[in-house]
Amino acid sequence: MKVHRVGTSFLDDHASELSMGKKPSALSVVEYAQDRKPLITPTIQSSMSGSKGESDGQQYLLIPNKDHILVLSMSHGQTVCKLVSHTDDKDEQQERSSCNGNRALVTATILKYKKSNTDVSIDNAVEFSVIAGFSDGTLEEWFLSSIPLDKSKSKTISPTRKLLLPKEYNPATITHITSPVEGDGGILYALVTIGSEIKFIRVDIPCISDEEEDDGVSLLRLINTQDLKTFAKPHNTEAEMNDENVRETTSEKKHLVLPKVFSLASVCCERKGVKMTYVVAAHKRGLVVYCDNYDSRQTIAEADRFILYPQVKGKKSICAFALAPNGEDVALGYVDGKIDILVSVLSRSASYVEETSPSKVHPQDSLIVRTIHWHALPVKTLCYLGLQGSRAAPSLISGGEEAVVVMWNVERGLNRPSNTLPRISKGCITHIVTNPYSISGSASSTDMDIIVRCMDNTLQLIHGNNHAIRWKIQGLASSNNECVDITSESNQVPSPMLHIDPKTRTLLMTRLAGAPGFIHWYDLTSNQVVGELEVAPYNRISRKEAHHNAYPRPTVTNFVFSDSGNDLITVDTMLTENLSLGKSCEVESVVNNDTDLSKKMSLVTNIKFWSRAREVGKRLTAERHGKGMPFELISAMPNPHGYINGEIDALAISRLGNRACSLSSQEGAFHIWGKGKTFTADKNSLSPLQPSWKRLCKITIPSGYSSSLKHGTGQDKNSTVAFSNDGSVLAIAFGRHITLWDHSNATLLKTLCTHESLCDIQFVRSPLDMILAVGKSSVSILPPFSSGYLGNNSWSYKLPEKSIIGGTKIELGLVTPLVSRKELAVTMRQTQDNAKELMISTKIVIVDIMSGKAKERNDGTVCSWEIEGNVLCLCDISQIQEQWASEQAVLLALNDRNDIFVLDTDDDRIVEQKVTERSDLSLIQNTNSSALSSTGAPKLEMYRKRKSEEVMHGVLGTNSEGKNIDAVGKGSLVFDSAEATPLSTSQLPALSGNFARSFMSRNFKKLKHND
């Protein structure tokens, strides 16, 4: 049993905060991941290229994530390969302290080497690599020449070598690293946190030798490491917020307290004929500038090379900064939306360091500051457009929560933007990166490229001259696209929904935090969104003021497809300030202050019917990576279940797509919808007929069931309504009761009673017409008209209350049928309360749908998978053959860490359960028999029969020999059909449609056989 991770988010930092249903604190995530910015490489000559046509090389875009670096092509944005971390060094892991927690990639930069004994004018005299710093204090290096030029051969690349800091730095966390583009090469500047100290260090990294390149991952202890300055960490966050400037501690060492640094950058330029490197660390209260001049290293102490620029009084906190490529200016962005340009601050700092007079004046006293203002909300990112080392005046680019790219021409002295690119995404802009390398002589002038990365997980390349979008890709939009809390009716974060498009066999996703109101078609091969459907349009308005919460946004609560994939029905909700449109509810106020805590708004519910457009579908089928999806809105109705109390709890569509049902517990009724055909406006037109949907009837929930309905819905799935396989019977769950309806004439056929309130019901295809009922702690396969109807194939499993084994709490999760395999996938959530944190994992067990017994391997162990975190969605892919899924793939799982997994089975190792299927389980169609009328159907008493408990074999308890299989939990079979007594046909209700014909044919066959 194998688990493959096939999808994750480009911006994956919200994943840990989404567990346990918590809202992600987007602001803290953006600050933490600000140094994980995208990196643009120089033109790389690949060592893996085999043809002469590839000798020109190309540029790449590197996207650092928490456990890998994604390599994209700058030409078209497609994935080339992944740079993965090396974790097989057990001796080195033991050497590092375990107090650092889980190992994660924190920061990355590109490093340049000059090869020894090589003329600089010769090609390949310079080697480039990418170095990543990790939370355990290690560095890993990948040489960019190892990236393959052939994009069709996507692969993972291990690091060339692993770099260790000296032992006196253990344990340490590398928080920021930087290396100037135009530097001498092999020099790295880093901030390292060791206990209560922050060390500013310079590392000289030797170039790799030819022997090391062939030895795999080599381990190198860095020797040429120099401490430049030591700072002290703030004792707590509150002290950091109250201090306006960097201050001295009261300890004996007299270290300066340095607030949390959110970014570290460097630039190299010529000064008086000598190369000067400026390294700047930015924090919310000011800047720290370090001037590195190799010629004067012996005459000036390292501590004197640091210049502190405390924040000017009256200014807000700094949240973004950028270094000008000409080595002169520094741009600072504030939380109130203002931007300050510190003119010539770097050159003034160098002059201050070189001056030896004891009465020298601090450069801040005579600093020239230009202030520009466009943003109404905090500035999240700043970047200059220009080449490093060039004396030309660069342009400044800023971005923030408004999702607008703002361009400034500072040299002209204007206080307004030179250009703006509005609505660049559906979320806050987190990073803007420009190309720092000159591509002279290239056919495409890429030295003006702008990379924009946003919180909705979009990444796009914009040309700096004509501002045209060259390409745009979107990953898993799982992260919140706002930087503050969102005004909503409930504090619970709805779980995403997964589905497979029956037509294109592509994964569908909705309820994603980064794409509200959208359904995404997600390609797992490229890990990108290939299509989208805007179900609920809305104007994305961020906050008007900094102290406001984000405005409400729509939520797709339900969507269902017909088996053909041509019919789609969606339900969406939206909060509005118009109190006369929908259900009135109390929400958190948009204004986030102590005086106004709540506000009344209306919740509007919309049902929409969509049809797949044939002509558009043909075109988009040929173009796999289309932007939109071929669906047209046919019908729509606001508040179909009433304006006051009409929220839709469940939605279902028949397999043929001609009938649908929506259920509302607040209204106390369910509606039956029917699809018909209408003519086009032009009678002579040859266009195909467009379907139309209308409400056929409204059925009030019978007395006694309406009160139990609110206890039956839940778990975000809301699948308490289901059509039978032929669409003739409708099943609705009311609490612990399942009611069967003939929806053609609104007749109640039968009532079933289960052990607890149900969260999910559906008809399964094998055994045909049986009902899968899932409660909070139970799973059942039930016959719709008692056990005598379909034979002895019913069973029920119930998890004992408060299932805690070995300190691990066991809870029943999702249950998904595997249609082609006649099996069920049952998830069990395992929660272990450690001293530090809750450890949550999910076990997925394969159960035979005919007998209720777990599938076993040849060695007697249960066939199951283990996934870290809580599994939020399961999707059956056993009938799908795609590039991202092997022939043994059966399930697709999404966990609360925003990782998508493909679950494979080892069929050759699974012991096949010998379960004999009854021949009368197949659907029998009798074209000569007429549909029976349900008029005069007898009134049925509730059929309820308690059975003796029997230990379930092999699912989560013990086997028949008493051997312990798994220490997860123990359940019991509440009943199986071996003890059931068949009912006479006189006790069964009158039926209609295919369901009735099938039932009558089976019983006539039995009677004829008995005669």
Side-chain angles (χ1 to χ4, degrees):
M1 310 291 280
K2 299 179 181 179
V3 179
H4 305 282
R5 190 175 73 173
V6 295
T8 187
S9 173
F10 287 153
L11 186 62
D12 54 4
D13 305 286
H14 291 280
S16 60
E17 300 186 49
L18 287 173
S19 60
M20 302 298 291
K22 295 190 300 183
K23 285 187 176 181
S25 57
L27 185 59
S28 61
V29 170
V30 171
E31 289 180 351
Y32 172 73
Q34 195 158 6
D35 214 41
R36 278 194 206 161
K37 61 183 179 181
L39 303 172
I40 299 177
T41 70
T43 302
I44 301 301
Q45 305 288 339
S46 176
S47 60
M48 305 176 72
S49 60
S51 62
K52 295 181 180 179
E54 295 175 344
S55 59
D56 293 338
Q58 63 171 301
Q59 284 187 290
Y60 299 99
L61 179 64
L62 309 180
I63 310 296
N65 280 275
K66 60 184 178 183
D67 55 357
H68 69 277
I69 298 177
L70 190 65
V71 181
L72 307 179
S73 171
M74 282 287 289
S75 302
H76 44 69
Q78 298 303 311
T79 301
V80 177
C81 63
K82 285 184 179 180
L83 308 180
V84 297
S85 174
H86 178 72
T87 56
D88 296 334
D89 232 336
K90 296 183 179 180
D91 296 337
E92 184 266 330
Q93 288 180 357
Q94 293 178 358
E95 179 185 343
R96 294 286 159 180
S97 174
S98 60
C99 63
N100 291 303
N102 295 329
R103 187 172 186 263
L105 191 154
V106 180
T107 180
T109 190
I110 293 178
L111 187 64
K112 182 180 74 172
Y113 294 99
K114 288 185 178 180
K115 293 185 178 180
S116 58
N117 300 325
T118 306
D119 189 359
V120 179
S121 62
I122 302 177
D123 293 337
N124 299 326
V126 178
E127 182 82 12
F128 290 93
S129 69
V130 55
I131 290 187
F134 289 83
S135 58
D136 62 348
T138 60
L139 295 166
E140 292 188 4
E141 184 178 28
W142 299 262
F143 279 83
L144 298 181
S145 58
S146 62
I147 298 177
L149 287 179
D150 188 1
K151 272 76 68 179
S152 63
K153 298 179 180 179
S154 179
K155 57 181 294 185
T156 58
I157 300 177
S158 298
T160 306
R161 55 183 176 179
K162 199 167 189 176
L163 309 174
L164 304 180
L165 296 176
K167 293 184 178 181
E168 57 265 23
Y169 290 91
N170 185 32
T173 298
I174 300 176
T175 58
H176 302 276
I177 59 176
T178 184
S179 180
V181 173
E182 297 295 332
D184 290 336
I187 299 177
L188 188 73
Y189 301 91
L191 283 177
V192 180
T193 301
I194 307 174
S196 60
E197 296 181 347
I198 302 176
K199 290 185 177 294
F200 196 117
I201 65 174
R202 179 179 54 235
V203 183
D204 294 335
I205 302 178
C207 186
I208 193 170
S209 61
D210 295 335
E211 292 78 9
E212 288 180 292
E213 293 182 359
D214 301 330
D215 293 341
V217 181
S218 60
L219 195 63
L220 176 64
R221 175 76 67 178
L222 296 175
I223 301 175
N224 298 325
T225 302
Q226 182 179 5
D227 288 351
L228 303 179
K229 195 173 183 63
T230 301
F231 298 92
K233 291 175 58 178
H235 295 291
N236 51 56
T237 306
E238 183 178 358
E240 180 182 341
M241 293 295 294
N242 293 332
D243 287 345
E244 294 187 355
N245 301 318
V246 179
R247 71 187 190 281
E248 292 187 357
T249 61
T250 57
S251 62
E252 296 180 359
K253 295 183 179 181
K254 295 289 183 181
H255 292 324
L256 296 178
V257 174
L258 182 65
K260 182 179 179 181
V261 174
F262 61 79
S263 186
L264 183 72
S266 59
V267 63
C268 183
C269 62
E270 284 193 7
R271 173 179 169 80
K272 298 179 181 180
V274 180
K275 281 191 175 182
M276 174 72 76
T277 299
Y278 301 100
V279 184
V280 182
H283 54 86
K284 64 178 62 178
R285 297 298 177 186
L287 299 175
V288 178
V289 179
Y290 172 73
C291 304
D292 194 353
N293 186 338
Y294 287 88
D295 288 351
S296 60
R297 181 172 296 176
Q298 303 298 328
T299 59
I300 303 176
E302 294 296 341
D304 296 334
R305 295 176 179 273
F306 285 87
I307 306 174
L308 306 181
Y309 286 89
Q311 182 184 13
V312 179
K313 292 185 178 181
K315 292 283 187 178
K316 299 293 184 179
S317 298
I318 301 172
C319 53
F321 103 108
L323 296 183
N326 58 11
E328 293 286 341
D329 304 337
V330 174
L332 301 179
Y334 297 91
V335 295
D336 58 356
K338 295 181 180 180
I339 300 174
D340 282 349
I341 310 296
L342 309 184
V343 180
S344 302
V345 63
L346 298 181
S347 58
R348 289 172 180 266
S349 300
S351 300
Y352 179 78
V353 170
E354 295 170 354
E355 188 177 351
T356 59
S357 173
S359 60
K360 57 183 179 180
V361 180
H362 196 282
Q364 189 173 16
D365 297 338
S366 58
L367 196 61
I368 300 176
V369 180
R370 292 181 183 174
T371 301
I372 54 180
H373 192 190
W374 183 91
H375 296 274
L377 300 173
V379 181
K380 291 300 179 183
T381 180
L382 289 170
C383 186
Y384 278 96
L385 182 61
L387 301 178
Q388 278 208 18
S390 173
R391 306 302 298 180
S395 300
L396 180 64
I397 307 174
S398 62
E401 297 181 35
E402 301 90 354
V404 178
V405 175
V406 185
M407 299 183 180
W408 308 83
N409 197 330
V410 182
E411 292 298 322
R412 294 184 179 180
L414 300 178
N415 195 23
R416 62 178 181 270
S418 60
N419 207 339
T420 57
L421 304 179
R423 298 182 180 179
I424 206 70
S425 67
K426 304 180 186 70
C428 169
I429 297 176
T430 59
H431 298 91
I432 297 178
V433 180
T434 58
N435 194 344
Y437 303 99
S438 175
I439 318 294
S440 58
S442 176
S444 59
S445 179
T446 59
D447 53 351
M448 297 296 290
D449 288 342
I450 303 172
I451 296 294
V452 181
R453 179 178 175 179
C454 306
M455 287 185 66
D456 63 344
N457 213 9
T458 56
L459 196 68
Q460 51 195 309
L461 187 146
I462 303 173
H463 199 280
N465 287 331
N466 56 15
H467 305 151
I469 298 178
R470 294 178 55 186
W471 52 259
K472 180 178 180 179
I473 58 176
Q474 180 164 10
L476 186 63
S478 54
S479 300
N480 201 340
N481 63 343
E482 302 286 354
C483 293
V484 292
D485 292 336
I486 300 168
T487 301
S488 60
E489 181 188 10
S490 174
N491 290 328
Q492 295 183 353
V493 178
S495 300
M497 299 176 67
L498 299 185
H499 195 76
I500 296 294
D501 188 345
K503 200 82 169 180
T504 62
R505 302 295 184 179
T506 308
L507 176 64
L508 297 177
M509 307 184 71
T510 189
R511 286 205 222 168
L512 299 175
F518 278 81
I519 296 178
H520 279 175
W521 275 253
Y522 191 78
D523 181 26
L524 291 170
T525 303
S526 61
N527 196 18
Q528 296 174 12
V529 174
V530 296
E532 61 183 16
L533 177 65
E534 190 174 12
V535 175
Y538 81 110
N539 291 326
R540 183 194 172 273
I541 303 175
S542 54
R543 301 174 290 163
K544 293 182 180 179
E545 301 292 341
H547 61 279
H548 287 186
N549 289 336
Y551 283 80
R553 66 252 208 102
T555 301
V556 179
T557 58
N558 288 280
F559 77 103
V560 289
F561 268 96
S562 61
D563 277 9
S564 65
N566 294 325
D567 301 289
L568 169 66
I569 305 177
T570 62
V571 175
D572 62 87
T573 59
M574 179 65 182
L575 286 172
T576 177
E577 294 179 349
N578 192 340
L579 300 180
S580 61
L581 291 182
K583 171 190 172 184
S584 178
C585 54
E586 293 280 342
V587 300
E588 295 179 358
S589 175
V590 174
V591 180
N592 187 11
N593 53 39
D594 297 334
T595 59
D596 191 5
L597 299 178
S598 63
K599 182 179 181 180
K600 283 189 177 182
M601 300 187 76
S602 293
L603 184 68
V604 181
T605 302
N606 302 294
I607 186 170
K608 297 178 181 178
F609 302 89
W610 308 78
S611 177
R612 191 183 294 267
R614 299 179 182 177
E615 296 300 326
V616 181
K618 292 179 181 179
R619 177 173 57 83
L620 290 180
T621 302
E623 302 175 3
R624 182 171 180 83
H625 294 275
K627 292 183 179 180
M629 293 308 292
F631 279 94
E632 297 178 345
L633 181 62
I634 302 302
S635 305
M637 184 177 181
N639 297 314
H641 287 264
Y643 281 87
I644 305 301
N645 293 310
E647 191 173 355
I648 296 178
D649 298 305
L651 180 69
I653 189 173
S654 62
R655 293 181 60 186
L656 297 178
N658 58 348
R659 292 292 183 270
C661 176
S662 59
L663 170 67
S664 175
S665 60
Q666 296 177 351
E667 185 195 21
F670 59 93
H671 297 181
I672 304 298
W673 306 82
K675 185 180 73 170
K677 293 285 186 179
T678 59
F679 292 97
T680 58
D682 186 4
K683 295 183 179 180
N684 298 325
S685 175
L686 298 178
S687 301
L689 302 180
Q690 294 293 337
S692 65
W693 285 85
K694 63 179 181 179
R695 182 167 49 193
L696 301 179
C697 62
K698 169 186 173 181
I699 304 174
T700 303
I701 298 174
S703 177
Y705 291 140
S706 58
S707 61
S708 62
L709 178 62
K710 60 183 179 180
H711 302 293
T713 60
Q715 284 195 355
D716 288 330
K717 194 174 182 182
N718 293 332
S719 299
T720 52
V721 176
F723 282 92
S724 61
N725 294 313
D726 64 353
S728 61
V729 173
L730 176 67
I732 303 179
F734 302 105
R736 59 197 296 261
H737 304 284
I738 302 176
T739 58
L740 303 179
W741 298 80
D742 179 4
H743 57 81
S744 61
N745 51 18
T747 302
L748 178 63
L749 303 178
K750 176 66 177 176
T751 300
L752 304 175
C753 186
T754 59
H755 317 97
E756 61 178 352
S757 295
L758 299 177
C759 306
D760 182 15
I761 62 169
Q762 54 184 305
F763 284 89
V764 295
R765 300 185 186 182
S766 178
L768 191 63
D769 292 335
M770 298 287 276
I771 298 176
L772 169 64
V774 181
K776 188 176 181 180
S777 60
S778 64
V779 182
S780 305
I781 292 291
L782 307 173
F785 296 110
S786 302
S787 299
Y789 168 54
L790 290 178
N792 303 327
N793 287 307
S794 60
W795 55 268
S796 181
Y797 168 79
K798 182 173 175 58
L799 188 70
E801 296 182 2
K802 298 181 180 180
S803 298
I804 300 178
I805 297 180
T808 302
K809 181 180 179 181
I810 310 299
E811 297 174 287
L812 180 66
L814 304 172
V815 179
T816 300
L818 305 179
V819 177
S820 64
R821 299 172 60 90
K822 302 176 184 178
E823 297 170 342
L824 292 178
V826 182
T827 65
M828 309 297 294
R829 178 179 173 181
Q830 306 171 115
T831 306
Q832 187 175 4
D833 190 2
N834 293 337
K836 296 182 179 179
E837 58 180 350
L838 290 176
M839 302 296 295
I840 299 176
S841 62
T842 302
K843 183 172 185 177
I844 304 177
V845 183
I846 296 296
V847 178
D848 182 75
I849 200 172
M850 305 290 291
S851 62
K853 298 180 180 180
K855 290 282 187 176
E856 295 182 355
R857 300 186 182 91
N858 292 329
D859 56 1
T861 59
V862 175
C863 296
S864 61
W865 300 274
E866 289 278 350
I867 295 179
E868 293 184 0
N870 183 25
V871 172
L872 303 178
C873 300
L874 278 181
C875 192
D876 176 23
I877 58 172
S878 57
Q879 296 177 310
I880 298 177
Q881 296 297 328
E882 292 288 340
Q883 296 180 359
W884 47 267
S886 63
E887 295 181 357
Q888 290 78 28
V890 294
L891 278 173
L892 204 63
L894 172 68
N895 66 357
D896 56 358
R897 302 178 183 180
N898 304 329
D899 293 328
I900 303 177
F901 299 94
V902 169
L903 309 183
D904 295 347
T905 61
D906 288 331
D907 289 336
D908 55 340
R909 298 180 59 191
I910 296 179
V911 179
E912 295 292 336
Q913 302 274 345
K914 294 184 178 180
V915 180
T916 304
E917 287 196 50
R918 298 174 58 91
S919 59
D920 58 350
L921 292 181
S922 59
L923 179 62
I924 301 175
Q925 299 282 356
N926 189 347
T927 58
N928 297 325
S929 62
S930 58
L932 300 179
S933 173
S934 59
T935 305
K939 182 178 181 181
L940 300 178
E941 297 294 331
M942 185 182 302
Y943 182 75
R944 181 179 180 184
K945 188 173 183 180
R946 295 184 178 273
K947 302 296 176 183
S948 58
E949 293 190 354
E950 179 181 346
V951 175
M952 185 178 183
H953 297 288
V955 176
L956 295 168
T958 57
N959 60 9
S960 57
E961 300 177 355
K963 181 180 177 181
N964 185 26
I965 294 178
D966 201 315
V968 175
K970 184 177 73 174
S972 60
L973 281 171
V974 178
F975 71 84
D976 59 19
S977 54
E979 303 176 1
T981 303
L983 295 178
S984 61
T985 56
S986 60
Q987 294 180 292
L988 296 176
L991 304 175
S992 64
N994 295 332
F995 201 99
R997 290 196 296 269
S998 174
F999 167 71
M1000 297 299 296
S1001 299
R1002 293 167 186 161
N1003 284 276
F1004 285 150
K1005 183 178 179 180
K1006 293 179 182 179
L1007 292 175
K1008 183 177 179 180
H1009 179 74
N1010 293 332
D1011 293 341

